[in-house]
Amino acid sequence: MSDTPRTPRPARPEDEHLPAPQLVGYGVQHILAMFGGVIAVPFIIGGVAGLEPAQTGLLVSAALFVSGLATVLQTVGIPFFGSQLPLVQGISFASVSTMVTIILAEGEGNGERGLRVVFGAVIVAAVVGLLLAPVFSRVVRFFPAVVTGSVILVIGLSLLPVAGGWITGQEETASGSSVALAAVSLAFVLVLSKVPMLSRLAVLLSLVAGTVVAAIFGLTTWNGQDADLVAVPTPFEFGAPIFEVGAIVSMTIVILVIMVETTADILAVAEVVGTDVDNKRISNGLRADMVSSAIAPVFNSFPATAFAQNVGLVALTGIRSRFAVAVGGGVLFVLGLSPVLAAVVGLLPLPVLAGAGVVLFGSVAASGVRTLGKATYDGTNNIVIVAAAVAFGVIPIAWPEFWGAFPQWWQTIFDSEISAAAIVAFTLNLFFNVLLPGVPEEPSGLTAAPALEVRPDEVEVLEQGGTFRGGKPGDG
């Protein structure tokens, strides 16, 4: 036997320490997987506000800077802040439509003032979310496998159209070159996944290889010719925030939606990692999310949230260490301080990212299916819960304007696939399994099965709260 001391296995899988080169490699892999998403929001808002290219570039750098800080806080954590899970934080897409509405309400030519109104609304709404975090955390015991599985499945399904959009770009149909780049990237991921020494870096290597292929055929674009090497974000670059009641109310609704999505992402990554998540960790994660969102406007950025696509990367690679993601957060922070480095990463063509995204996002959906397999369906109404939750989650994916005639607050909530699925699954689980457990004496064809016997120990766990792990407490 060897006398070499063995590194003790951590009590929690997410606490695994890896050699420095691996931490950097896996961290960069996480950043490349979400880079397109984190810069999309500032580009959209900058365009709506009518900003100059240099000002839009400032928003992009600020988004990277804030995302890096938020990721480090979420993964490393300090007392009361941070779930200490491998979650990458980025700028939330859920806030885009509301921020656009606020800016446009200021009228043409008032884009910068509209930005200041957005920043004021985000600050107040995030503080409200910070105060509500402990309340949100206490609902974790009502998220059994049938709820979390439905939400994780919808998360994966909602991300797949994003990959398609990366291929088509601004066009309605995909070009042959874009499909070819995506196919090259996908092929690299699939082949490298079969190589034991390279499988865990398959996504990173495929993105690099795809970018090299794109460069050879002249399909990359360099936008860093006027970029500075170092540029520290200036607080309130566009002026002091403006606080308007209507904008604050609208943004508070958005923040509540973001909190639902973050809770779902925390539970999703916990399921993938195979770790315990109680209401304290949920609360710490939400507080980190909210304090990052409150600070973001100071540095000219927008609400932060956990990025679901990186949950797929954790599932695909099996790298569960939160420290790898923390290193990725450090990389984001550096990119936010160096527009030149951000432009280098920006060479990555979106179709190349889409090829890897097909596997990443599909992995999230597959994780949801696996979680649903842990729920009990015989003698329960759980099949109805899954059916309704997935249906409401798919509606905004298949018909983006489905809720267009409804009030704005309704659209804000149910136009988000994740929040719609989470709210429906959570509510129906309360109705069927907590308030009225079991099935009627003459169930419908959907639920016809022997009646469910609720054990006293399950009732006790639900009443006292508990720890979520792989569909516990209860299987729905």
Side-chain angles (χ1 to χ4, degrees):
M1 284 183 67
S2 171
D3 294 330
T4 303
R6 300 177 62 183
T7 303
R9 239 182 129 72
R12 303 187 306 184
E14 65 270 26
D15 292 336
E16 181 182 7
H17 287 272
L18 301 171
Q22 293 185 29
L23 286 177
V24 173
Y26 297 138
V28 170
Q29 184 170 245
H30 268 287
I31 299 318
L32 290 178
M34 57 83 72
F35 190 82
V38 79
I39 68 174
V41 175
F43 269 121
I44 294 171
I45 299 301
V48 172
L51 301 183
E52 298 294 329
Q55 293 176 306
T56 300
L58 185 151
L59 291 182
V60 172
S61 294
L64 296 170
F65 178 81
V66 168
S67 297
L69 289 178
T71 299
V72 172
L73 178 62
Q74 187 71 267
T75 53
V76 176
I78 59 176
F80 305 108
F81 295 91
S83 64
Q84 295 187 333
L85 287 166
L87 282 170
V88 177
Q89 299 285 122
I91 306 304
S92 172
F93 272 95
S95 60
V96 170
S97 62
T98 299
M99 292 192 296
V100 167
T101 301
I102 292 172
I103 293 172
L104 293 179
E106 295 299 317
E108 188 175 353
N110 293 317
E112 290 193 26
R113 187 183 192 282
L115 272 179
R116 294 167 62 191
V117 175
V118 166
F119 291 149
V122 171
I123 291 172
V124 175
V127 170
V128 172
L130 184 62
L131 297 175
L132 292 177
V135 177
F136 260 73
S137 68
R138 296 189 180 279
V139 304
V140 65
R141 66 181 184 273
F142 300 120
F143 279 81
V146 67
V147 176
T148 55
S150 299
V151 175
I152 296 170
L153 174 58
V154 169
I155 290 174
L157 295 177
S158 69
L159 290 170
L160 287 171
V162 174
W166 287 341
I167 296 175
T168 60
Q170 301 298 320
E171 307 299 327
E172 293 186 3
T173 57
S175 65
S177 59
S178 295
V179 172
L181 283 180
V184 167
S185 176
L186 175 59
F188 271 108
V189 171
L190 297 177
V191 172
L192 292 175
S193 295
K194 288 288 292 180
V195 181
M197 297 295 294
L198 301 176
S199 60
R200 290 189 165 187
L201 286 172
V203 173
L204 173 61
L205 296 176
S206 71
L207 295 178
V208 172
T211 303
V212 170
V213 172
I216 292 174
F217 289 94
L219 298 174
T220 57
T221 303
W222 171 250
N223 295 314
Q225 55 268 20
D226 298 322
D228 296 325
L229 180 61
V230 178
V232 179
T234 302
F236 299 121
E237 178 74 24
F238 298 93
I242 299 173
F243 302 97
E244 294 185 355
V245 175
I248 291 172
V249 172
S250 298
M251 192 57 64
T252 300
I253 296 175
V254 172
I255 286 294
L256 294 176
V257 172
I258 290 174
M259 293 178 74
V260 173
E261 292 182 346
T262 298
T263 301
D265 288 332
I266 290 174
L267 295 176
V269 81
E271 173 67 23
V272 170
V273 171
T275 192
D276 296 337
V277 170
D278 55 15
N279 57 12
K280 179 181 178 181
R281 292 186 78 177
I282 296 283
S283 182
N284 290 347
L286 290 173
R287 275 195 286 261
D289 213 3
M290 291 300 102
V291 76
S292 298
S293 296
I295 293 174
V298 176
F299 295 103
N300 316 294
S301 195
F302 311 108
T305 189
F307 263 39
Q309 51 260 55
N310 292 88
V311 177
L313 187 56
V314 174
L316 182 65
T317 64
I319 300 300
R320 302 174 291 180
S321 173
R322 59 189 173 98
F323 301 109
V325 176
V327 170
V331 172
L332 274 176
F333 175 79
V334 172
L335 291 176
L337 294 176
S338 177
V340 169
L341 291 178
V344 171
V345 177
L347 283 171
L348 172 67
L350 288 181
V352 172
L353 185 58
V358 169
V359 180
L360 292 179
F361 305 159
S363 295
V364 178
S367 295
V369 173
R370 181 176 61 185
T371 302
L372 286 172
K374 299 177 181 179
T376 301
Y377 297 97
D378 292 340
T380 73
N381 285 289
N382 283 342
I383 194 69
V384 177
I385 297 175
V386 175
V390 172
F392 271 83
V394 169
I395 283 174
I397 303 174
W399 300 281
E401 302 300 325
F402 186 88
W403 302 113
F406 281 66
Q408 184 61 46
W409 65 267
W410 179 279
Q411 294 181 48
T412 300
I413 296 172
F414 286 94
D415 274 347
S416 167
E417 306 90 347
I418 300 173
S419 64
I423 290 171
V424 171
F426 173 79
T427 303
L428 291 183
N429 180 64
L430 285 180
F431 177 72
F432 285 123
N433 296 327
V434 178
L435 302 178
L436 299 171
V439 293
E441 292 183 4
E442 296 183 1
S444 68
L446 286 174
T447 59
L452 172 67
E453 179 182 355
V454 181
R455 301 193 305 270
D457 60 324
E458 290 180 335
V459 175
E460 183 179 355
V461 170
L462 285 173
E463 290 176 346
Q464 295 179 359
T467 298
F468 171 87
R469 180 168 185 164
K472 302 298 183 182
D475 287 326

